[in-house]
Amino acid sequence: VEGALKCESLTRSLLFHNDNKKDTATTATRLSAWTIFQLARHAYTTANFGIAHDLFTQKLLSTSSSTEKSYLWLSALSKTAKAEDIISKEGILGVSRASMLLDSSIAHIQSLSSLSGVGSQLDDYGGDDDEDED
């Protein structure tokens, strides 16, 4: 719990609640997209789903999605984090809304899979079953 609170406090102070616009711009420039992704991942794994969603949406999707693949991936992560946040805050009452977000996230991942040709790459990786090995 203490680690989660530290994560929330640090993330919010670095990225969201900085009144000085010059400091905010400096902080955003200083933190790379990879660092922000790591913060979002840490927030997600410590059940700070709202923070993870904010980071994915406000800091990564708006600035770092340079390719269709990265947009689909970050969007899926953002939607999943939002769904988790809804369930953690609303419980059973939020399941319907969360379910719609998760369906959308799955659709993004399926689109990403078809763009990447993951299925064909996995088939190629497994080798040809018709070949005889001596």
Side-chain angles (χ1 to χ4, degrees), residues 2-3 11 13 18 27 33 39 48 57 63 72-73 80 83 85 87 94-95 106 111 113 128:
E2 185 178 321
T11 303
S13 66
N18 204 334
T27 300
L39 282 169
N48 288 289
T57 304
T63 60
L72 288 169
W73 178 244
T80 302
D85 189 45
I87 290 172
V95 169
I106 290 168
S111 296
S113 173
D128 190 354

Side-chain angles (χ1 to χ4, degrees), residues 49-66:
F49 304 116
I51 293 173
H53 169 71
D54 291 344
L55 288 169
F56 287 131
T57 304
Q58 296 175 17
K59 298 298 178 182
L60 292 173
L61 271 172
S62 63
T63 60
S64 301
S65 55
S66 58

Side-chain angles (χ1 to χ4, degrees), residues 14-36:
L14 282 175
L15 299 173
F16 297 110
H17 293 296
N18 204 334
D19 293 333
N20 187 336
K21 291 184 181 191
K22 182 180 176 188
D23 289 343
T24 302
T26 303
T27 300
T29 303
R30 189 174 56 219
L31 294 176
S32 69
W34 177 243
T35 301
I36 294 170

Side-chain angles (χ1 to χ4, degrees), residues 74-89:
L74 292 171
S75 183
L77 291 173
S78 175
K79 289 174 186 293
T80 302
K82 183 63 177 175
E84 290 279 7
D85 189 45
I86 289 169
I87 290 172
S88 69
K89 289 179 178 176

